[in-house]
Amino acid sequence: MHKFRSHTCADLRKANVGDIVRLSGWVHRVRDHGGILFIDLRDHYGVTQVLADPDSPVFADVEKVRSEWVIRIDGKVLARDETLVNSKLPTGEIEVFIQDMEVLGAADELPLMVFGEQEYPEETRLRYRYLDLRREKMQENMKLRSDVVASMRKRMWDKGFREYQTPIITASSPEGARDFLVPSRLHPGKFYALPQAPQQFKQLLMVSGFDKYFQIAPCFRDEDPRSDRSPTDFYQLDMEMSFVEQQDIFDTIGPVLQGVFDEFADGRKVDAYADWPQISYRDSALWYGTDKPDLRNPIKMQDVSEHFRGSGFAIFAKLLEQEGTEVRAIPAPKGGSRKFCDRMNAFAQKEGLPGMGYIFWRDRKPARMLRFKEFLTMTFEEIEEHDPAYSKELLAEGAERIKTAASAGDSERAEFLFDAYFGPHEAAGPLAKNIGPERTEAIRQQLGLGVGDAAFFLGGKPKAFQRVAGLARDVIWDETPKDPEDENWRARFAFAWIVDFPIYEQDEETGEIDFEHNPFSMPQGGLEALEGDPLNVLGYQYDLACNGAEILSGAIRNHKLEIMFKAFEIAGYDEAEVRRRFGGMAGAFHYGAPPHGGCAAGIDRIVMLLAEEDNIREVMLFPMTQRAEDLMMGAPSVPDNAQLRELHLRVIEPEA
């Protein structure tokens, strides 16, 4: 028999009853049932219940074991009584009577319990990550991650790609985040950098004649941490192709990712690749308040500025006199109660805005009896008698405007006015009173709302409020009643391509133009597009969003030197600076560069979605803390003086 085990702790079944077996693993928990000791023995594969009673030759030794000791046991497989079968365990029909035991590794008192899945502070979990990783949920997450990477590799090979490894030590390159610099011993005063991405190398591979490249690539960025972003390093499925257009990239990587999600969705619905919409960056910001929308939420925001321009609501009317301002509406189906509207207003204030305006629509019951055609034949007194609760001033105003439009032969306008003043949808709330029935009805019709619905309004320069608008959209969908078919809306993976990104942005304070997104993207329209307003230049650049997370980013690359130099010139970099920063790529483009493009999919985020985790650290083996520290290994650490001298470095202490 093998020195440590004949079976894993997941192997044994009823067919093994009577066998003499050897198991090794961790003591998951110990239970004393009237002098009989039961141990749940755990290894990477599963759990087997083993037991000892006073008749066992090693009973005294078994009494000493504690949680997380590593032991080896020899014993006989027994069938459990039918009333004691554990249907939740694959090994639940059997147990092993211990005949011999060896302690392979004793454990001190634990700072973190493995059994029970208790909650612990993040600092404790990361300091003792080797214990945290023993927990069932973490084991499953890491197995899932490994399986996802293996699936990605297989699917890319099946698509005709080969995997190539690019350098880890390279030159510093602006990719949108800070580099991690590595001092050179052989070249005092000079530094290497850890790559933020294999961007330049994979483009150089295309220039080198490799038609299809992929890599499970480590990337290093000195970034501020977020729940969906590591502050130091991450992994991506990186790919590049030659002689392709944007749609070719989509048609290659889209089915790969759909296949991965299908494989690991665990019963959740995965939108078919053919149904993934392509949404412009501008529309995504307008409709969803973000460039990574969650399409499981069907609510679309709309620009309703025209309904407030020159209106009686002075705040929005004056705001719209300023250049670059808008008023956007967030529809809230079934959100039409004052209590909910007040709650959403408080939400906006909590997020740092003055509040949100709102309108909600309720049933104007008496008006339901009134029909447009009979209204045209009624006198004012008859109309007033029909709806005595209505404001006489509005009643008179509405009746006059409706009959004037009808007399002029504009029946469409007359019917609209009738709906505004006397229709079944009565608008309520401070905004409705300020802007009047016609504007509120126009808003209702534009948004497609009805009785029991509401709309919320935010105004100003979109960049100042659209983040909160996007969050409010999610809160509204999350908290309002659902139709039966939407009750299980979370159990779905919904994808959207975000396209037509602007290449440039303007600093509001300095007026300077800089790259808003990837500087290596080919501008739509080529060199000619760069002759006009830079803020109107769009790139062949794209992201893939899934359930509110960006899981992929890519572009068709700018492979023509004259376009590349012009694109950088607009952002303030002359040709000499471009050659200094990107000399390898600029030099290569002199010798025949094919049209090429690619993308990178974030493995950590994809696994986070599949594992239904809210924090990326739950799917990484040894992540850093929020402060970018490794508490377990003690990184970052202070180098000793000999190391600093060898690297010709001095440390300047920060000022207090």
Side-chain angles (χ1 to χ4, degrees):
M1 191 179 289
H2 189 273
K3 182 178 180 181
F4 296 115
R5 59 187 177 192
S6 61
H7 299 78
T8 74
C9 291
D11 286 343
L12 299 175
R13 299 293 187 271
K14 204 168 185 177
N16 297 105
V17 169
D19 292 352
I20 302 299
V21 298
R22 176 171 289 170
L23 303 176
S24 290
W26 285 262
V27 174
H28 195 54
R29 63 170 175 163
V30 182
R31 290 162 288 141
D32 186 342
H33 286 191
I36 302 177
L37 298 176
F38 291 90
I39 294 175
D40 290 338
L41 191 64
R42 183 195 77 240
D43 65 8
H44 177 67
Y45 305 98
V47 174
T48 297
Q49 179 173 284
V50 301
L51 72 148
D53 61 20
D55 292 334
S56 171
V58 289
F59 183 76
D61 294 328
V62 175
E63 283 187 302
K64 297 174 185 176
V65 303
R66 297 291 181 266
S67 292
E68 297 309 303
W69 284 30
V70 182
I71 63 173
R72 171 196 57 79
I73 66 102
D74 293 351
K76 185 176 183 180
V77 181
L78 307 176
R80 292 200 202 188
D81 186 280
E82 286 188 10
T83 60
L84 299 176
V85 167
N86 185 348
S87 60
K88 295 180 181 179
L89 285 180
T91 60
E93 291 186 299
I94 61 91
E95 55 195 7
V96 179
F97 182 77
I98 302 174
Q99 298 172 327
D100 187 34
M101 187 190 78
E102 178 186 1
V103 176
L104 301 176
D108 294 338
E109 184 177 346
L110 298 170
L112 180 155
M113 292 299 295
V114 175
F115 170 73
E117 298 291 331
Q118 296 99 320
E119 291 293 325
Y120 289 93
E122 183 181 78
E123 182 173 322
T124 301
R125 293 182 60 198
L126 296 185
R127 187 180 298 277
Y128 302 101
R129 189 62 163 182
Y130 41 82
L131 292 178
D132 191 46
L133 285 172
R134 292 181 191 176
R135 304 206 283 180
E136 181 180 7
K137 186 179 181 184
M138 297 304 294
Q139 289 271 313
E140 292 304 315
N141 282 357
M142 299 311 156
K143 286 190 284 186
L144 172 64
R145 182 190 179 102
S146 179
D147 292 345
V148 166
V149 170
S151 177
M152 287 177 170
R153 275 200 165 99
K154 181 181 184 305
R155 293 173 191 278
M156 293 302 288
W157 278 96
D158 289 347
K159 286 278 187 180
F161 286 76
R162 281 190 169 87
E163 186 168 9
Y164 300 98
Q165 285 71 44
T166 54
I168 295 299
I169 295 290
T170 182
S172 179
S173 171
E175 299 273 358
R178 298 181 190 88
D179 285 322
F180 281 106
L181 297 178
V182 181
S184 168
R185 178 180 61 82
L186 297 177
H187 304 279
K190 294 186 177 181
F191 293 79
Y192 303 104
L194 302 181
Q196 293 188 32
Q199 177 73 51
Q200 293 189 65
F201 286 110
K202 67 178 181 176
Q203 290 193 243
L204 290 169
L205 283 174
M206 297 302 103
V207 179
S208 302
F210 294 90
D211 194 63
K212 291 181 179 180
Y213 141 94
F214 90 96
Q215 180 183 188
I216 304 299
C219 302
F220 306 89
R221 298 183 185 180
D222 185 1
E223 296 190 296
D224 295 328
R226 296 193 309 232
S227 62
D228 66 344
R229 184 173 70 190
S230 165
T232 53
D233 57 289
F234 60 93
Y235 280 80
Q236 62 189 31
L237 169 59
D238 202 59
M239 62 159 278
E240 199 80 5
M241 304 167 67
S242 288
F243 305 107
V244 289
E245 297 180 295
Q246 181 170 283
Q247 191 61 44
D248 297 316
I249 303 293
F250 295 174
D251 291 341
T252 299
I253 195 65
V256 168
L257 293 180
Q258 186 205 321
V260 170
F261 275 85
D262 279 336
E263 186 176 348
F264 300 103
D266 194 25
R268 289 161 288 177
K269 182 181 182 295
V270 179
D271 286 2
Y273 166 66
D275 297 329
W276 298 2
Q278 294 184 25
I279 303 170
S280 74
Y281 173 81
R282 188 182 302 275
D283 283 344
S284 184
L286 168 61
W287 294 342
Y288 310 112
T290 177
D291 58 0
K292 42 182 182 291
D294 186 345
L295 295 193
R296 297 175 300 174
N297 175 352
I299 293 173
K300 278 187 179 182
M301 297 186 283
Q302 295 191 41
D303 183 347
V304 291
S305 303
E306 291 309 309
H307 303 305
F308 288 96
R309 212 177 295 279
S311 74
F313 188 62
I315 294 174
F316 281 171
K318 289 180 180 178
L319 194 71
L320 291 169
E321 293 173 2
Q322 302 172 31
E323 187 177 352
T325 57
E326 290 180 12
V327 176
R328 292 185 185 174
I330 314 170
K334 301 184 181 180
S337 73
R338 192 175 298 276
K339 184 177 180 181
F340 182 70
C341 291
D342 287 343
R343 192 157 82 246
M344 291 306 302
N345 190 46
F347 165 82
Q349 292 170 342
K350 184 181 175 182
E351 291 294 328
L353 295 182
M356 284 196 295
Y358 61 83
I359 300 172
F360 62 95
W361 286 269
R362 57 196 178 196
D363 197 351
R364 188 188 290 131
K365 290 180 181 177
R368 289 198 165 195
M369 303 292 292
L370 200 58
R371 297 289 180 266
F372 175 64
K373 288 184 179 179
E374 69 176 299
F375 169 85
L376 294 177
T377 66
M378 295 169 69
T379 65
F380 178 78
E381 289 74 17
E382 289 172 328
I383 296 169
E384 187 177 16
E385 183 180 346
H386 175 77
D387 198 352
Y390 208 55
S391 159
K392 286 188 177 183
E393 291 78 12
L394 280 177
L395 196 66
E397 175 189 305
E400 180 183 351
R401 294 171 71 84
I402 294 164
K403 293 195 175 187
T404 299
S407 299
D410 191 348
S411 60
E412 185 176 335
R413 173 69 176 163
E415 288 194 43
F416 167 78
L417 290 169
F418 174 77
D419 286 339
Y421 285 92
F422 302 102
H425 308 95
E426 182 181 25
L431 266 186
K433 291 179 182 178
N434 277 284
I435 66 176
E438 293 180 46
R439 292 176 186 266
T440 55
E441 178 62 13
I443 290 170
R444 186 194 69 78
Q445 291 191 17
Q446 178 181 336
L447 300 179
L449 298 175
V451 170
D453 298 337
F456 296 91
F457 303 90
L458 289 165
K461 293 190 174 180
K463 282 196 173 182
F465 69 77
Q466 70 185 18
R467 181 192 69 85
V468 177
L471 293 174
R473 168 185 170 269
D474 290 336
V475 172
I476 289 167
W477 176 246
D478 203 29
E479 296 190 7
T480 48
K482 307 284 184 298
D483 293 329
E485 60 267 25
D486 291 325
E487 287 295 337
N488 201 29
W489 65 276
R490 293 182 188 277
R492 173 186 166 210
F493 294 107
F495 302 83
W497 293 107
I498 309 302
V499 298
D500 300 337
F501 279 81
I503 289 184
Y504 301 103
E505 64 179 348
Q506 186 172 32
D507 187 292
E508 289 191 7
E509 293 184 3
T510 66
E512 293 181 354
I513 300 293
D514 202 353
F515 290 109
E516 181 164 356
H517 293 99
N518 192 321
F520 299 111
S521 304
M522 177 66 80
Q524 296 181 20
L527 192 59
E528 187 176 334
L530 299 178
E531 302 298 334
D533 184 349
L535 300 181
N536 293 331
V537 179
L538 303 178
Y540 285 112
Q541 185 168 341
Y542 36 84
D543 286 354
L544 182 63
C546 176
N547 294 6
E550 176 202 315
I551 63 168
L552 175 149
S553 187
I556 297 299
R557 316 301 179 189
N558 189 344
H559 70 286
K560 295 186 176 180
L561 274 178
E562 67 274 19
I563 301 177
M564 183 176 169
F565 289 142
K566 180 64 177 177
F568 275 90
E569 179 188 322
I570 291 171
Y573 303 89
D574 62 20
E575 181 177 333
E577 179 71 4
V578 175
R579 290 188 182 279
R580 185 184 72 80
R581 290 183 178 228
F582 314 110
M585 199 155 65
F589 284 0
H590 279 284
Y591 301 105
H596 59 282
C599 62
I603 291 171
D604 312 280
R605 286 186 187 169
I606 288 172
V607 178
M608 187 175 77
L609 289 172
L610 289 167
E612 297 185 272
E613 295 287 0
D614 295 325
N615 195 307
I616 206 163
R617 287 181 285 282
E618 299 300 314
V619 297
M620 300 175 69
L621 280 169
F622 299 105
M624 297 281 188
T625 67
Q626 288 276 2
R627 290 173 48 81
E629 294 175 309
D630 184 341
L631 301 177
M632 185 177 61
M633 303 297 287
S637 59
V638 178
D640 61 37
N641 288 330
Q643 288 175 305
L644 291 174
R645 281 195 299 273
E646 192 173 42
L647 295 170
H648 305 278
L649 293 177
R650 285 178 55 202
V651 175
I652 301 175
E653 295 294 335
E655 295 181 8

